[in-house]
């Protein structure tokens, strides 16, 4: 901290402290010589009294000198300040403004959004700087270095600010402003960050960008020339906020099957101290199909469930929207959520096994109620029946399972090889019947992801062998339930497995507790990718503890992992799992295209039906890529083919889920990003003005000086009365003499 003076000239008045000394020197009396009888005892007492009087006089003199000096210093108005040069509002300023334009800034208070309130605060700041100042303004949505604007141009720039669904972290946006402000030649440098302090608008794990350059500049430059930039974080809006939002919207199953009704599930969350009862409306393809009122406790959530009709058209993209209605809500963007899905026919699955028991568990997981409507159509055959089939018939199957089959002929392996290379999906479950020579044969190895080594008894020191870790948590088979699956695998017993030697082109997806691969994948890059999954332990179990075919408890009914993984495997192998139709704002949209279709052009229409774009078809086998769309809602994509043939497509875009949570940053988070003493945090406008005054001019010492002066006046008066008061005996003698 440094000391500065508003009226530095008046500080010269401190020299008046010398007046008591001067008066003391010129006005002291010359001792008079009086002839008096030689009284030794009186002379000794006189010497002692004179020494005491000198000490008292010096104390009194010091008090009077300090009193005059403090009065002069108080008139000079001293203040303590840190980094900013002193001066009034006419000092030219390099002003940095960082605006939070994220969706949470659309929260309304008193019929104004928080962004509108931030604009008002910024205009007030600009009104207090001279026209010779430069303003460097950025928002959290647009990258790029700011250009110095005049105050009037900056006001126009602020007027055009709007809420944006996709934003950078604010401590990243500061990296554009700090260098521009520090390099400016204006004597005063300030940066203001205007935000509601929602955690979703920041990245607390990294420091504010641009500060390292300031510190480096201070280290390299002379102390007097090093750039000093004051940072103000202005919290916009009140501390207490309430909101009701739709946080989740999902289908009851991974795919919608023709002729099968589909359940729509929405999660509604409340933030606030009151119980609320909003109404959730359900729209399908733009038509209202129902509504449901839910009651949500303070800070809690509730579910709303709806069912689609069973006669939805196959192949078309259908659109779902949930809307919140009822009591007024200060935050509107999260009162709607969107979802797109495509209806398809049931996927055909072929199960090949020597014994029925080896196929029963997979069949039961995919079709638990045979005869009822199902997402999968199951067919079971023996290995010998595969050769009798025509090769092209395998194209009808979304996936083929080879389950604990002892041997397959070269012709059968050849059929499976051709099926995979044409985009098919093959799942192989090894077991006690598998013969090494057959699976390691040249034809089989053209398609399998690994060689078989030997059957291995699963033993770990001090405990029971189990599955191990998921090696790729982002894989479509695991990403949705990765943590829960990991927990189940950690307690799922394994007794035997095949040791494998994976090929270089393969990758392990799941391991056992001893590190050996449990699941290995191989992908063939063709027009439509073909995939092979190899399980080194059976996809079946035996109840008899003594049965040699009892290798694991994977399909045991006590674990839900098996049916979930089997149901996720089929769409993944068929390629439909990669057909994602729902995205968050800011994501790149990738739409899968039919490999045999010939597209000439794509027309992309935004939800407002005004924003349109055209794209040329991508390379064969590649998806259609739309870079980071921002408008929330249902997007329409029309694929144009030969003879003006049109294929409707589309996707849904939702706000980032993190934006729904209005959790504020803690002071410790700001300390980590800016340094504990590197910023000033202000709430309302009054607190803002006070902080600006403190940082620009410093802490006012005048009140403390006046209090000290009063104390000194009291002390001086007390000392004077005490030192010069006559002894009581002398006063009494004088009174007696007068009376006589």
């Amino acid at each position: 901290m440094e000391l500065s003076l508003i009226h530095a000239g008046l500080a010269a008045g401190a020299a008046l402290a010398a007046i008591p000394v001067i008066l003391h020197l010129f006005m002291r009396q010359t001792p008079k010589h009086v002839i008096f009888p030689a009284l030794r005892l009186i002379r000794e007492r006189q010497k002692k009294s004179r020494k005491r009087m000198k000490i008292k006089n010096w104390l009194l003199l010091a008090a009077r000198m300090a009193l005059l000096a403090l009065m002069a210093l108080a008139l000079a108005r001293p203040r303590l300040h840190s980094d900013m040069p002193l001066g009034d509002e006419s000092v030219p300023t390099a002003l940095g403004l960082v605006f939070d334009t994220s969706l949470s800034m659309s929260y309304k208070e008193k019929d104004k959004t928080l962004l509108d309130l931030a604009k008002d605060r910024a205009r007030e700041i600009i009104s207090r700087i001279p026209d010779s100042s430069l303003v460097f303004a950025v928002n959290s949505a647009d990258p790029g270095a700011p250009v110095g604007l005049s105050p009037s141009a900056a006001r126009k720039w602020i007027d055009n600010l709007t809420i944006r669904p996709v934003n950078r972290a604010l401590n990243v946006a500061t990296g554009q402003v700090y260098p521009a402000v520090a390099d400016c030649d204006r004597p005063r440098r300030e940066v203001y960050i205007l935000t509601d302090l929602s955690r979703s608008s920041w990245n607390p794990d990294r420091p504010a960008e641009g500060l390292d350059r300031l510190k480096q500049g201070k280290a390299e430059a002379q102390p007097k020339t090093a750039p000093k930039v004051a940072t103000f974080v202005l919290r916009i809006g009140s501390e207490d906020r309430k909101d009701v939002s739709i946080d989740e919207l999902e289908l009851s199953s991974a795919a919608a099957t023709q002729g099968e009704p589909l359940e729509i599930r929405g999660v509604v969350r409340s933030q606030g101290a009151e119980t609320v009862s909003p109404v959730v409306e359900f729209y399908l393809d733009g038509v209202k199909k129902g509504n449901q009122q839910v009651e949500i406790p303070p800070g809690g959530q509730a579910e709303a469930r709806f069912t689609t009709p069973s006669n939805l058209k196959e192949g078309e993209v259908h659109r779902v929207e949930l809307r919140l209605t009822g009591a007024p809500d200060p935050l509107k963007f999260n009162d709607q959520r969107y979802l797109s899905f495509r209806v398809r026919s049931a996927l055909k699955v072929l199960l090949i096994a020597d014994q029925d028991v080896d196929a029963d568990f997979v069949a039961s997981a995919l079709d638990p109620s045979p005869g009822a409507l199902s997402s999968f159509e199951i067919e079971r055959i023996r290995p010998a029946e595969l050769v009798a089939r025509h090769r092209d018939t395998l194209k009808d199957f979304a996936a083929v399972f080879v389950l604990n089959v002892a041997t397959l002929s070269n012709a059968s392996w050849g059929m499976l090889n051709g099926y995979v290379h044409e985009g098919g999906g093959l799942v192989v479950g090894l077991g006690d019947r598998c013969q090494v020579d057959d699976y390691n044969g040249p034809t089989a190895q053209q398609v399998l992801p690994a060689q078989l080594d030997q059957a291995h008894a699963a033993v770990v020191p001090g405990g029971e062998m189990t599955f191990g870790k998921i090696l790729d948590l982002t894989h479509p088979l695991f990403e949705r339930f990765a943590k829960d699956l990991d927990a189940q695998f950690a307690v799922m017993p394994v007794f035997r497995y095949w040791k494998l030697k994976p090929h270089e082109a393969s990758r392990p997806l799941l391991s056992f507790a001893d590190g050996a691969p449990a699941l290995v994948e191989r992908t063939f890059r063709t027009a439509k990718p073909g995939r092979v999954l190899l399980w080194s332990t059976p996809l079946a179990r035996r109840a008899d503890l003594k049965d040699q075919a009892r290798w694991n408890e994977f399909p045991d009914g006590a674990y839900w992992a098996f049916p979930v993984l089997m149901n996720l495997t089929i769409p993944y192998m068929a390629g439909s799992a990669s057909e994602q139709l729902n995205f968050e704002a800011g994501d790149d949209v990738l739409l899968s295209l039919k490999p045999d279709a010939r597209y000439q052009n794509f027309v992309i229409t935004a939800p407002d039906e005004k924003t349109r774009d055209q794209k040329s078809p991508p390379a064969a086998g590649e998806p259609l890529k739309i870079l980071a769309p921002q408008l929330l809602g249902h997007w329409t994509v029309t694929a144009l083919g030969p003879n003006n043939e049109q294929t409707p497509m589309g996707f849904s875009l939702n706000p980032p889920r993190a934006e729904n949570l209005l959790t504020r940053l803690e002071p410790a988070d700001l300390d980590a990003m800016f340094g504990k003493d590197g910023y000033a945090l202000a709430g309302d406008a009054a607190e803002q003005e006070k902080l600006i005054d403190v940082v620009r001019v410093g802490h006012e010492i005048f009140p403390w000086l006046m209090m000290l002066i009063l104390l000194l006046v009291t002390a001086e008066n007390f000392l004077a009365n005490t030192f010069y008061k006559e002894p009581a005996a002398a006063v009494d003698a004088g009174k007696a003499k007068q009376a006589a």
Side-chain angles (χ1 to χ4, degrees):
M1 299 292 286
E2 300 174 359
L3 179 67
S4 62
L5 304 172
I6 295 180
H7 307 294
L10 294 178
L16 296 176
I19 291 178
V21 178
I22 296 172
L23 292 175
H24 175 73
L25 293 175
F26 284 94
M27 298 182 67
R28 66 178 180 175
Q29 296 179 352
T30 303
K32 297 180 179 180
H33 294 276
V34 179
I35 299 174
F36 199 78
L39 300 174
R40 184 174 58 84
L41 293 176
I42 294 177
R43 288 182 178 275
E44 290 296 328
R45 183 172 182 81
Q46 183 183 23
K47 289 179 181 180
K48 292 180 181 180
S49 299
R50 190 174 294 171
K51 289 180 181 180
R52 285 197 297 269
M53 286 300 296
K54 282 184 178 181
I55 295 174
K56 294 177 180 179
N57 285 335
W58 281 113
L59 287 175
L60 187 59
L61 180 64
R64 289 171 175 171
M65 292 175 65
L67 182 60
L68 290 173
L70 287 175
M71 291 179 66
L73 187 61
L75 291 175
R77 300 290 298 277
R79 296 189 177 207
L80 288 175
H81 65 96
S82 53
D83 291 332
M84 296 304 298
L86 283 178
D88 55 24
E89 296 176 1
S90 64
V91 175
T93 303
L95 180 63
L97 297 175
V98 182
F99 286 89
D100 183 354
T101 54
S102 63
L103 291 168
S104 63
M105 291 291 285
S106 62
Y107 189 94
K108 278 195 171 184
E109 290 186 1
K110 299 178 181 178
D111 294 328
K112 276 193 172 185
T113 67
L114 298 187
L115 181 59
D116 291 334
L117 297 177
K119 290 180 180 181
D120 293 341
R121 298 273 285 272
R123 294 187 189 101
E124 177 63 24
I125 294 170
I126 292 176
S127 69
R128 298 182 58 181
I129 62 175
D131 291 338
S132 56
S133 301
L134 285 179
V135 181
F136 301 90
V138 300
N139 63 62
S140 56
D142 295 325
V147 178
L149 302 174
S150 66
S152 59
R155 292 187 186 94
K156 294 180 180 178
W157 184 91
I158 291 171
D159 292 340
N160 294 325
L161 277 176
T162 58
I163 298 294
R164 307 285 286 276
V166 182
N167 292 266
R168 301 162 298 159
L170 284 171
N171 44 317
V172 174
T174 58
Q176 300 172 272
V177 171
Y178 276 126
V181 171
D183 292 342
C184 186
D185 60 355
R186 301 309 191 265
R188 177 187 290 150
R189 300 177 179 90
E190 297 174 345
V191 171
Y192 294 82
I193 304 172
L194 300 100
T195 172
D196 63 347
L197 282 182
S198 290
R199 180 173 287 273
S200 59
S201 302
W202 300 77
N203 184 357
D205 296 330
R206 61 188 296 178
E209 293 187 6
L211 287 179
D212 53 347
R213 179 172 172 180
L214 294 182
K215 294 177 182 177
Q216 182 181 0
K218 290 182 180 182
E220 294 176 354
Q222 297 297 324
K224 292 184 178 180
T225 60
K228 297 179 180 180
V229 180
T231 299
F232 300 89
V233 179
L234 306 184
R235 187 189 69 244
I236 309 299
S238 60
E239 288 278 4
D240 185 24
R241 292 189 289 182
K242 60 181 180 179
D243 179 47
V244 181
S245 63
I246 303 178
D247 271 14
E248 298 178 23
L249 176 58
E250 60 183 11
L251 303 175
S252 58
S253 62
T257 306
Q258 186 182 26
E260 181 181 358
L262 196 65
E263 187 179 58
I264 306 295
R265 171 181 170 270
V267 176
V268 186
R269 185 186 303 275
S270 172
Q271 299 180 72
E274 300 176 355
T275 298
V276 294
S277 302
V279 175
V280 184
E281 296 181 342
F282 167 48
Y283 290 81
L284 178 63
D285 295 329
V287 179
K288 184 178 178 180
K289 295 292 186 179
N291 61 73
Q292 180 181 341
Q293 187 171 27
V294 295
E295 184 172 331
I296 311 174
Q301 65 181 38
E303 288 188 358
R305 295 178 180 267
F306 303 93
T307 303
T308 67
S310 58
N311 59 346
L312 296 178
K313 290 184 179 180
E314 179 185 353
E316 291 188 4
V317 175
H318 297 276
R319 298 173 171 85
V320 169
E321 180 182 352
L322 294 188
R323 301 178 188 173
L324 286 180
T325 60
D329 190 5
L331 199 57
K332 293 294 184 183
F333 82 88
N334 53 19
D335 290 349
Q336 300 89 27
R337 201 160 185 91
Y338 311 93
L339 181 145
S340 293
F341 66 93
R342 191 191 301 274
V343 176
R344 57 166 173 76
S345 58
L347 296 176
K348 297 180 65 177
V349 180
L350 180 63
L351 306 182
I352 306 172
D354 289 332
Q355 299 177 333
D356 288 341
V357 66
D358 288 318
D360 286 344
F361 292 91
V362 174
S364 178
L366 297 177
D367 188 9
S369 302
L373 284 174
S374 173
S375 300
F376 307 107
E377 183 181 328
I378 310 297
E379 184 177 349
R380 302 164 65 155
I381 64 172
R382 299 290 187 224
E385 299 177 56
L386 179 61
V387 183
R389 289 175 172 266
H390 191 276
R391 175 175 175 174
D392 288 343
T393 59
L394 291 183
K395 292 182 179 179
D396 298 334
F397 292 97
V400 175
F401 283 73
V402 177
L403 301 169
N404 197 17
V405 172
T407 62
L408 285 173
S409 65
N410 279 338
S412 296
W413 282 117
M415 290 180 64
L416 294 175
N417 192 3
Y419 166 70
V420 171
H421 278 80
E422 292 175 357
L426 174 63
V427 183
V428 179
L430 301 177
D432 65 301
R433 299 176 56 84
C434 299
Q435 297 184 16
V436 176
D437 293 340
D438 184 71
Y439 283 80
N440 287 348
T443 308
Q445 284 299 303
Q446 289 180 16
V447 67
L448 293 178
Q451 286 187 335
L452 276 63
D453 188 359
Q454 61 180 349
H456 177 71
V459 179
V460 291
E464 190 176 48
M465 178 73 168
T466 64
F467 283 92
K469 290 286 186 181
I470 297 173
L471 303 178
D472 183 1
L473 296 175
T474 63
H475 193 278
L477 291 180
F478 305 119
E479 63 177 348
R480 189 175 178 185
F481 308 105
K483 291 183 179 179
D484 296 326
L485 287 171
D486 250 342
Q488 287 227 328
F489 283 137
V491 297
M492 193 181 293
V494 177
F495 312 116
R496 293 181 68 83
Y497 65 84
W498 280 94
K499 282 191 172 182
L500 301 178
K501 297 178 180 179
H503 300 313
E504 291 184 1
S506 305
R507 59 169 180 160
L509 302 179
L510 175 68
S511 70
F512 294 112
D514 62 359
L519 175 62
V520 183
E521 180 182 32
R522 184 176 181 181
T523 302
F524 296 87
R525 302 295 179 186
T526 54
K528 179 185 177 184
R531 300 181 175 94
V532 182
L533 294 176
L534 178 62
W535 287 89
S536 60
T537 194
L539 299 180
R541 69 181 293 266
R542 302 291 192 273
D544 188 354
L545 299 179
K546 297 180 180 180
D547 194 331
Q548 293 184 352
R550 185 173 180 265
W551 282 31
N552 64 64
E553 295 296 318
F554 187 16
D556 191 343
Y559 307 105
W560 55 260
F562 183 79
V564 167
L565 280 178
M566 293 303 104
N567 278 270
L568 291 174
T569 295
I570 310 305
Y572 173 65
M573 303 304 276
S576 58
S578 59
E579 186 185 29
Q580 183 181 353
L581 300 179
N582 299 286
F583 303 86
E584 288 190 351
D587 293 342
D588 289 340
V589 173
L590 301 177
L591 297 180
S592 300
L593 304 175
K594 294 181 179 179
D596 55 346
R598 296 183 178 181
Y599 300 112
Q600 296 180 342
N601 202 1
F602 294 90
V603 178
I604 302 163
T605 307
D608 60 4
E609 298 185 354
K610 298 178 182 178
T611 306
R612 294 197 173 198
D613 191 15
Q614 291 191 3
K615 281 189 173 294
S616 300
E622 295 293 324
L624 176 66
K625 187 173 184 178
I626 303 170
L627 296 176
Q630 295 200 19
L631 288 179
L632 305 178
H634 298 301
W635 288 67
T636 301
V637 179
T638 304
L640 303 178
N643 301 321
N644 290 327
E645 180 183 353
Q646 297 185 0
T647 303
M649 304 168 62
F651 61 94
S652 295
L653 201 67
N654 285 296
R657 188 170 297 177
E659 288 274 12
N660 290 347
L661 302 177
L662 303 180
T663 307
R664 291 187 185 273
L665 283 180
E666 297 294 335
D669 297 319
L670 291 172
D671 292 346
M673 288 184 286
F674 294 97
K676 192 169 184 179
D677 298 321
Y679 70 98
L681 175 62
D684 56 22
E687 187 178 356
Q688 169 188 322
E689 293 303 316
K690 181 179 178 181
L691 275 176
I692 293 174
D693 190 52
V694 167
V695 173
R696 282 185 179 178
V697 184
H699 293 279
E700 178 69 79
I701 306 177
F702 181 80
W704 301 98
L705 286 177
M706 292 304 298
M707 186 178 296
L708 186 57
I709 288 172
L710 290 175
L711 291 175
L712 280 174
V713 168
T714 304
E716 190 274 341
N717 186 55
F718 174 78
L719 290 173
N721 290 333
T722 302
F723 295 165
Y724 296 113
K725 184 171 72 173
E726 295 185 21
V731 173
D732 293 341
K735 290 181 178 179
K737 187 177 181 179
Q738 290 178 358

